[in-house]
Every structure is written in structure tokens, then in C-alpha cells.
Amino acid sequence: MGLALRLFSSRSIENSPVIQTPFVEETTDVDDEKPVPDQNVDFRKITPPKGKCDLFTGDWIPNPSGPIYTNESCHVVEPHQNCMKNGRPDSGYLYWRWKPRECEIPRFDAKKFLELMRNKQWAFIGDSIQRNNVQSLLCILSKVEEGVMVYHDEKYSSKRWLFPSYNFTLAVIWSPFLVEAATFEDINGVSTADIQLHLDKLDHTWVDQYQSIDYMIFSGGKWFFKTAIYYENDKVVGCHYCPGQNLTELGFVYAYRKALELVYNYIVTSNHKGVIFFRMLTPDHFENGEWFSGGTCTQTVPYKDGESKLNDIDVVLRDIELEEFKKAEALASKNKVNLKLFDTTYLSLLRPDGHPGPYRHFHPFAKDKNAKVQNDCLHWCLPGPIDSWSDLLMEMVVNG
């Protein structure tokens, strides 16, 4: 399986060689060399109002009770994230919980959540990490009631589930660019043409449903590393990594900022009466290489504060996200649109132990203990660290 993802060498962020990834709908920021960590990343550029707890600054602490669900009790865990079934030998990564330093947050209460969401609709809009998050939430809610799939698109990229007893709908809407995009890749990630990206047109996949959804979580980012031709006013204005095509190299920074500006302008002027979250980027944890050069993630315990830093490309993406959110936040408040930042970057950075690694494959070392297999150091095992994101979401919904 695979999608064509083309990324940079560390020589240049905006104009550089590219490579392809084999993961279906699963992207990572891959360089010929590991980016030099930024030693001065400030994870608190946006601070909570005085008297409010900063939910996103904290530590992972031992949790002897373990996860709410298991890989056997939940039926929506996809094979490549079912780490225990795939033979992962250790289980310590299951016994941690996120603890903000300034407050306690309760564990996710599935029954309370479903009661609060009676007759409501939720949607996670973005890429495969959003899908990962939705599956986690479905597993947690299944302890009270299992969602019934009531819709899927042709490729099963966008899906919707109904919880009949509560008339609650939960959806994942596949929109990795958030703006209109034409892609030309088959199921194996073989591309016959470059992506055509319209930076001045929103993706109708989510726009058409926008006003009917009570709670939304947007995210974006790493898909913009792909080779793409950029359009504005239906005319080609440039590209990202398109050698030999006589086009202006604008780069992913230009495109991502333009896309976020468009998305936020739509949101803050929409008169939407629900709650809208923007989730910050999720870092990967490839070590000793990348996916294409034998990169692995073999850690079995969380990092402590200060033990890991974002790489330079993630810093660039995060800065764009923060800058555009700050601008949108002021307008949203003025227009009485409820826009919130869901900043999972730091707590995710501290969990190198929570990825499938080689166990995205079924028993990868059963026949050969020295087998060379591709590692997934971006997505999360289920159960796993991503389950804690629901604790934070519920706290933000219940207590603002």
C-alpha cells in the first residue's frame, strides 16, 4: 500500500529533492538526512487565559489501570494499528496517562460524553491521523455503545457512524489539504501526474457539511510536502518541486499558509454556532534513518521533558499554524465563532513508544527474526497514547 509522498533533503526547506513513501494515506516528513533539531522551540507561544489550566503542558505519568478498551474488545481497529495482534512483545506503552502540570483532568467518561452529545454531530476533518483519532474515540465509546457505520465514500476514506441510542453522529472527512485537490494515485501510491492544488478554493467535501456539524476538528500540514502544481483563479501560479516544468517554485510554506488563511477566513465569517478545533501537527519518531532508509522507533517508554525536540521542518509547519491561528482567533472572538486550539504536538513528541513500528505488519519477525520490514513511526497503536487526546477534548468541551 502507498501514497506518493515526496519530501525534502535537509539542504533546503522550500526547494529540494523529493522521495516517495509506501504508506497508504499515511504521510511522514522525510529527509535524505535527519533535520537538525531546533533547540529553542517554545511550546507555549499561546498561553491560556489567567486562571486557566494549560492542558497541553505536562508529563506522562504511570497509569496502572491501563487502557479503557483492548484491541480485542474494539472492532474498528485497523490491522496496521493493531499492534498487540500483530505481535508487539511489550505492553508498557499502554500504562501511561497525560497529566497537565497545573490541574487534574478526569478520564474520558463515555456515557457522559454520549449524553452531552445527544442529537449532535462531530467530524474530524483532515488526513490519516484524524482517522486514527476517530478510531480511538470509537473504541472508547464502544464501552457504552458501538457506533453503526451509516456512510462511507467509494474509497472508505470518509466515514460516518451513528450511535442510535443517543442520535449522535461521528464522522471522519477525508480532506488532507483542506482545499480543493486533484490527485492521481492508485492504491499502491503510484502517481501518473502531479497533484493539482487550488489554493483559493476550499474542499467541498467538508464545506458542504460544515453548517450541519456541531463540533469539528481540523488538521493539516504534511500533505503539503508532496509535489504539486498550484492554482489560483484557475490559473497555474507555481508549484512545489516540479523540475523541468518551467514553473515558479513557490514551496510548501507558501501553499500551507495560503490554505490555512482560506480555511480560517471561511470559519471566522461563517456565523457557525458550534465548536471548532484546530489540531496542531503530530511529529514522527523515526530514528537512525527514515522509512526508506531503515528508520525505526524502538523506544518502550515516554520521553521526559527536554529529551526530545521537534525537527526543523515540523518547527516551520508549527509556526505557520500558530501564526494563522492567532490571526483567526481574534476575528473569531469578534464574530462570536467558537474557535479553539487543540495543541497535541508536545504531548505527542514525548511518546516515541506508542507507534506500531514494525508491528504495522502481522508478526513481521515470525519467519525471520532479522527480517527487514518497514516501520510506521507516525501513527499510533490502538490502544495507545492517542486515546489521551479524548480526555483533553472532553475537558475542553465540558469546561471550556
Side-chain angles (χ1 to χ4, degrees):
M1 300 193 305
L3 274 184
L5 172 61
R6 303 167 184 182
L7 300 179
F8 317 91
S9 73
S10 57
R11 188 174 41 136
S12 169
I13 289 180
E14 291 199 32
N15 187 6
S16 49
V18 290
I19 308 164
Q20 289 189 332
T21 179
F23 291 170
V24 169
E25 300 174 350
E26 298 172 7
T27 62
T28 58
D29 58 343
V30 182
D31 301 301
D32 290 341
E33 299 175 10
K34 193 69 176 177
V36 178
D38 187 306
Q39 301 299 320
N40 299 297
V41 178
D42 181 4
F43 284 97
R44 304 187 66 177
K45 286 183 178 179
I46 293 184
T47 56
K50 189 173 182 180
K52 289 279 188 177
C53 173
D54 181 356
L55 297 176
F56 305 111
T57 298
D59 304 280
W60 290 94
I61 65 172
N63 177 34
S65 61
I68 294 174
Y69 65 94
T70 71
N71 65 310
E72 294 180 345
S73 69
C74 181
H75 306 300
V76 298
V77 179
E78 293 187 358
H80 55 272
Q81 287 156 354
N82 198 336
C83 302
M84 300 303 286
K85 184 176 182 179
N86 289 344
R88 179 168 173 168
D90 63 303
S91 61
Y93 69 96
L94 298 172
Y95 296 92
W96 300 88
R97 70 176 178 88
W98 178 250
K99 167 65 172 67
R101 291 179 187 160
E102 301 169 358
C103 63
E104 289 284 347
I105 56 172
R107 197 164 205 185
F108 189 93
D109 186 329
K111 186 169 181 58
K112 181 178 180 180
F113 178 85
L114 287 169
E115 289 289 355
L116 287 170
M117 295 302 134
R118 189 178 292 277
N119 302 319
K120 302 290 186 182
Q121 294 191 50
W122 269 75
F124 289 70
I125 303 164
D127 58 19
S128 56
I129 296 294
Q130 294 287 66
R131 185 175 64 232
N132 201 174
N133 199 173
V134 166
Q135 290 164 355
S136 166
L137 182 54
L138 283 166
C139 287
I140 294 170
L141 296 177
S142 71
K143 300 304 292 182
V144 174
E145 180 171 292
E146 291 203 19
V148 179
M149 188 186 296
V150 292
Y151 167 81
H152 62 80
D153 63 7
E154 184 179 355
K155 295 182 178 180
Y156 284 76
S157 298
S158 295
K159 302 177 186 178
R160 185 164 59 247
W161 294 265
L162 174 67
F163 292 78
S165 300
Y166 300 89
N167 192 32
F168 167 59
T169 301
L170 175 62
V172 57
I173 300 175
W174 178 252
S175 184
F177 293 103
L178 302 178
V179 296
E180 184 177 306
T183 58
F184 307 92
E185 297 171 341
D186 64 17
I187 188 70
N188 296 311
V190 178
S191 180
T192 58
D194 294 331
I195 292 167
Q196 311 294 301
L197 203 57
H198 291 262
L199 300 177
D200 57 351
K201 295 181 181 180
L202 294 173
D203 183 358
H204 70 86
T205 307
W206 64 266
V207 170
D208 291 350
Q209 306 176 58
Y210 179 83
Q211 289 295 348
S212 66
I213 302 169
D214 301 288
Y215 294 83
M216 281 169 277
I217 304 177
F218 289 88
S219 72
K222 294 185 178 182
W223 274 68
F224 285 84
F225 293 155
K226 288 170 170 273
T227 291
I229 309 300
Y230 298 151
Y231 290 77
E232 295 179 36
N233 296 318
D234 292 319
K235 295 181 179 180
V236 175
V237 295
C239 68
H240 170 57
Y241 194 70
C242 53
Q245 298 194 47
N246 195 30
L247 296 175
T248 302
E249 172 64 40
L250 295 176
F252 79 91
V253 169
Y254 173 86
Y256 192 36
R257 191 179 295 279
K258 289 280 289 189
L260 287 186
E261 286 175 347
L262 189 66
V263 170
Y264 279 132
N265 183 63
Y266 181 82
I267 289 172
V268 301
T269 60
S270 66
N271 198 34
H272 190 274
K273 300 303 181 185
V275 181
I276 302 168
F277 299 90
F278 183 83
R279 180 180 59 74
M280 302 289 284
L281 71 90
T282 302
D284 65 61
H285 290 95
F286 285 99
E287 297 179 349
N288 302 314
E290 299 292 348
W291 65 265
F292 61 90
S293 58
T296 60
C297 39
T298 58
Q299 298 286 335
T300 57
V301 295
Y303 286 133
K304 295 179 180 178
D305 185 28
E307 288 185 343
S308 182
K309 302 291 183 182
L310 284 183
N311 65 46
D312 56 354
I313 293 179
D314 279 351
V315 170
V316 170
L317 285 182
R318 181 179 169 83
D319 284 347
I320 294 171
E321 291 175 344
L322 286 174
E323 289 162 10
E324 295 307 317
F325 181 85
K326 283 181 179 179
K327 290 190 289 187
E329 185 180 36
L331 289 171
S333 178
K334 180 180 178 180
N335 295 338
K336 297 182 179 179
V337 173
N338 197 349
L339 179 64
K340 297 176 179 290
L341 189 70
F342 190 50
D343 190 358
T344 56
T345 302
Y346 176 65
L347 60 96
S348 302
L349 181 66
L350 298 180
R351 291 307 305 269
D353 57 321
H355 302 293
Y359 299 100
R360 74 182 308 271
H361 311 277
F362 184 72
H363 289 271
F365 306 113
K367 295 181 179 179
D368 180 1
K369 65 179 181 179
N370 297 314
K372 302 296 184 183
V373 297
Q374 194 170 68
N375 282 245
D376 181 354
C377 302
L378 173 65
H379 298 86
W380 304 99
C381 294
L382 294 178
I386 199 170
D387 297 327
S388 288
W389 295 10
S390 292
D391 297 343
L392 297 169
L393 276 175
M394 186 159 183
E395 181 68 12
M396 294 179 76
V397 169
V398 173
N399 295 321

